[in-house]
Amino acid sequence: MSDRINHPAFALALRIVAAGLSFVFGIVAARLLGIEAFGVVSVLLGFANVGIVFALLGHETLATREIAAMSRNADQRAARAYSRSASRQVWLAGVVVLCVLLAAVAMLPIGEKAGPEFLALLALVPLVARTRLSQGLIRGAHLASLSLVPDGILRPGLAVLLLGALILAGQEAERGFVVVMLGCALLALLFGRIWERNALETPSVPEGRSAHESVPVRHFSMSIFVSSMLAVLVSQIALISTGLLAEPAAAGLYAAAERFSLAAALVGQAVYLAVASRFAALHASGDIAGLRALIRKVTRSVSAATLLLCVVLGVAAVPLLRLYGDAFVSAAPVLQVLLLSVLCNAGAGPTGQVLLMTRNERDHLVAMVASLVLQSVLIALLVPTHGVIGVACAVLASTLVWNGLMMFFIRRRLAINPVLAFA
């Protein structure tokens, strides 16, 4: 039973449920708040997502790799020590980041438009960061499916139900939205901690290692932290820049299109996260042939499924965006460009996970820096003249550069065919 629950296919099913909940959450929030307030909230949540990664200090990825690489004899003691150390770091960093964000955002024009009630959404930073640390620890114990539940299903699922109740009851939108978001984050944190403790009580032996072998444990990796920070900046800078350089309504349009593009990317996200600990275990055991076979298999499967999703979403862009409201239909070209970016990312394969799980995080960092710089420059050049569609084109260009560099490093460090579908 546990093998079926932890199978990548089950992780994919849960990711589909999570994406569906996120999609419904976006529709409910947009209809509850209106396009301008939805744009403001989307930008603030973008700032919060960046803050969450700062607060995590790279531990979500590091926890998966280090827990997966431990032997049975070392797992319980070392895993508990790592969990305590990482938890202290994440809580402290989360509080510091929250204070910095409150001070910084309050001085920006978007902060004035948000007001104190919406600014309270930034309190999600320490709560969600600690929940995602739990998810990383659970994934490291080869429980990828379970790791998706706290922040991916429980939090948005409860939020959808409660926000829907607010709409039906005709309650005050802004205050109710903030209370629901923070309350759901607290519940997700509670359940995440419970499942984390259970996962660390029953460690498993990674493939290729005997029970008596021990593995050196790293309690912090600057390269992984910086790479994680840059990854979220790359993913959020488009939305944040739209909110800062254009009007809140433009940010609302981009946020709606982005949610559908993320739905197309869910297959890769689910499968690659599910097998990340296996990448680490196979590399640690020296089974390069097994690593190549696994990379080849998941890349082909993800590419085919993502192509189908992108075609369907691209053709149905207008009616899908109309679900948010008639004002969102003009974002259809933006969605179609973002879907091209998702398709390119899927075709490249799990480049980022392969580099991180094989201890080549510095190369991952170089690729992220190049991608962020390119995207930032293009956004600054294109937004004033082309608006939201210019942002989408900047995302597409940076995605191509990011994956191209990581494919180069995979070939150089691991001697694996950089076209991962033929690894």
Side-chain angles (χ1 to χ4, degrees), residues 13 23 62 239 246 259 302 304 351 356 359 388 408 418:
F23 165 69
L62 185 63
L239 175 59
R259 284 185 179 273
V302 166
T351 52
L356 290 172
R359 300 182 179 269
V388 185
F408 167 77

mmCIF file of all heavy atoms in Angstrom, residues 13 23 62 239 246 259 302 304 351 356 359 388 408 418:
data_model
loop_
_atom_site.group_PDB
_atom_site.id
_atom_site.type_symbol
_atom_site.label_atom_id
_atom_site.label_comp_id
_atom_site.label_asym_id
_atom_site.label_seq_id
_atom_site.Cartn_x
_atom_site.Cartn_y
_atom_site.Cartn_z
ATOM 1 N N ALA A 13 -1.258 12.737 -9.316
ATOM 2 C CA ALA A 13 -2.689 12.903 -9.065
ATOM 3 C C ALA A 13 -2.936 13.957 -7.994
ATOM 4 O O ALA A 13 -3.830 14.808 -8.126
ATOM 5 C CB ALA A 13 -3.304 11.561 -8.649
ATOM 6 N N PHE A 23 -6.432 26.838 -8.966
ATOM 7 C CA PHE A 23 -7.209 27.460 -10.033
ATOM 8 C C PHE A 23 -8.540 27.989 -9.492
ATOM 9 O O PHE A 23 -8.929 29.136 -9.733
ATOM 10 C CB PHE A 23 -7.441 26.434 -11.139
ATOM 11 C CG PHE A 23 -8.514 26.804 -12.117
ATOM 12 C CD1 PHE A 23 -8.332 27.858 -12.996
ATOM 13 C CD2 PHE A 23 -9.706 26.098 -12.157
ATOM 14 C CE1 PHE A 23 -9.333 28.200 -13.907
ATOM 15 C CE2 PHE A 23 -10.695 26.435 -13.060
ATOM 16 C CZ PHE A 23 -10.512 27.488 -13.933
ATOM 17 N N LEU A 62 17.598 21.206 0.375
ATOM 18 C CA LEU A 62 18.673 20.550 1.109
ATOM 19 C C LEU A 62 18.134 19.402 1.964
ATOM 20 O O LEU A 62 18.752 18.331 2.052
ATOM 21 C CB LEU A 62 19.402 21.570 1.986
ATOM 22 C CG LEU A 62 20.643 21.078 2.737
ATOM 23 C CD1 LEU A 62 21.723 20.647 1.753
ATOM 24 C CD2 LEU A 62 21.166 22.149 3.682
ATOM 25 N N LEU A 239 5.556 39.047 -12.223
ATOM 26 C CA LEU A 239 4.332 39.534 -11.595
ATOM 27 C C LEU A 239 4.594 40.793 -10.779
ATOM 28 O O LEU A 239 3.850 41.776 -10.869
ATOM 29 C CB LEU A 239 3.748 38.439 -10.697
ATOM 30 C CG LEU A 239 2.522 38.820 -9.864
ATOM 31 C CD1 LEU A 239 1.379 39.272 -10.759
ATOM 32 C CD2 LEU A 239 2.094 37.650 -8.987
ATOM 33 N N ALA A 246 3.399 48.869 -13.946
ATOM 34 C CA ALA A 246 2.109 49.114 -14.610
ATOM 35 C C ALA A 246 1.034 49.277 -13.532
ATOM 36 O O ALA A 246 1.332 49.451 -12.357
ATOM 37 C CB ALA A 246 1.780 47.968 -15.561
ATOM 38 N N ARG A 259 -1.635 31.617 -13.714
ATOM 39 C CA ARG A 259 -2.231 30.462 -13.025
ATOM 40 C C ARG A 259 -2.532 29.325 -13.998
ATOM 41 O O ARG A 259 -2.331 28.154 -13.678
ATOM 42 C CB ARG A 259 -3.505 30.884 -12.289
ATOM 43 C CG ARG A 259 -3.227 31.647 -11.007
ATOM 44 C CD ARG A 259 -4.487 31.946 -10.227
ATOM 45 N NE ARG A 259 -4.161 32.653 -8.993
ATOM 46 C CZ ARG A 259 -3.835 32.052 -7.854
ATOM 47 N NH1 ARG A 259 -3.804 30.728 -7.801
ATOM 48 N NH2 ARG A 259 -3.548 32.755 -6.787
ATOM 49 N N VAL A 302 6.903 13.343 -19.105
ATOM 50 C CA VAL A 302 6.492 14.712 -18.786
ATOM 51 C C VAL A 302 6.331 15.546 -20.061
ATOM 52 O O VAL A 302 5.372 16.321 -20.201
ATOM 53 C CB VAL A 302 7.501 15.362 -17.827
ATOM 54 C CG1 VAL A 302 7.286 16.875 -17.743
ATOM 55 C CG2 VAL A 302 7.397 14.733 -16.449
ATOM 56 N N ALA A 304 5.523 14.617 -23.130
ATOM 57 C CA ALA A 304 4.313 14.251 -23.870
ATOM 58 C C ALA A 304 3.059 14.791 -23.185
ATOM 59 O O ALA A 304 2.176 15.371 -23.838
ATOM 60 C CB ALA A 304 4.230 12.736 -23.997
ATOM 61 N N THR A 351 16.283 19.382 -15.489
ATOM 62 C CA THR A 351 17.662 19.880 -15.436
ATOM 63 C C THR A 351 18.038 20.406 -14.060
ATOM 64 O O THR A 351 19.116 20.101 -13.539
ATOM 65 C CB THR A 351 17.853 20.981 -16.488
ATOM 66 O OG1 THR A 351 16.808 21.963 -16.325
ATOM 67 C CG2 THR A 351 17.784 20.420 -17.899
ATOM 68 N N LEU A 356 20.886 19.789 -8.725
ATOM 69 C CA LEU A 356 20.817 19.943 -7.269
ATOM 70 C C LEU A 356 20.997 18.617 -6.546
ATOM 71 O O LEU A 356 21.711 18.545 -5.533
ATOM 72 C CB LEU A 356 19.470 20.568 -6.880
ATOM 73 C CG LEU A 356 19.271 22.039 -7.255
ATOM 74 C CD1 LEU A 356 17.836 22.456 -6.985
ATOM 75 C CD2 LEU A 356 20.241 22.931 -6.497
ATOM 76 N N ARG A 359 24.656 17.235 -6.319
ATOM 77 C CA ARG A 359 25.611 18.111 -5.634
ATOM 78 C C ARG A 359 26.348 19.050 -6.591
ATOM 79 O O ARG A 359 27.529 19.356 -6.402
ATOM 80 C CB ARG A 359 26.603 17.292 -4.792
ATOM 81 C CG ARG A 359 25.913 16.471 -3.718
ATOM 82 C CD ARG A 359 26.868 15.699 -2.843
ATOM 83 N NE ARG A 359 26.133 14.948 -1.831
ATOM 84 C CZ ARG A 359 25.830 15.403 -0.620
ATOM 85 N NH1 ARG A 359 26.187 16.624 -0.277
ATOM 86 N NH2 ARG A 359 25.153 14.657 0.238
ATOM 87 N N VAL A 388 1.928 43.858 -20.690
ATOM 88 C CA VAL A 388 1.950 42.516 -20.102
ATOM 89 C C VAL A 388 2.512 41.481 -21.071
ATOM 90 O O VAL A 388 3.205 40.543 -20.656
ATOM 91 C CB VAL A 388 0.534 42.115 -19.655
ATOM 92 C CG1 VAL A 388 0.565 40.779 -18.926
ATOM 93 C CG2 VAL A 388 -0.057 43.172 -18.750
ATOM 94 N N PHE A 408 24.034 22.328 -20.538
ATOM 95 C CA PHE A 408 25.485 22.364 -20.742
ATOM 96 C C PHE A 408 26.220 21.822 -19.516
ATOM 97 O O PHE A 408 27.157 21.016 -19.637
ATOM 98 C CB PHE A 408 25.923 23.800 -21.032
ATOM 99 C CG PHE A 408 27.400 24.016 -20.950
ATOM 100 C CD1 PHE A 408 28.237 23.604 -21.982
ATOM 101 C CD2 PHE A 408 27.972 24.625 -19.838
ATOM 102 C CE1 PHE A 408 29.614 23.800 -21.901
ATOM 103 C CE2 PHE A 408 29.342 24.818 -19.753
ATOM 104 C CZ PHE A 408 30.160 24.407 -20.794
ATOM 105 N N PRO A 418 22.932 15.924 -22.841
ATOM 106 C CA PRO A 418 22.146 17.068 -22.342
ATOM 107 C C PRO A 418 20.706 17.078 -22.811
ATOM 108 O O PRO A 418 19.861 17.741 -22.199
ATOM 109 C CB PRO A 418 22.921 18.274 -22.896
ATOM 110 C CG PRO A 418 23.659 17.754 -24.079
ATOM 111 C CD PRO A 418 24.009 16.341 -23.744
#
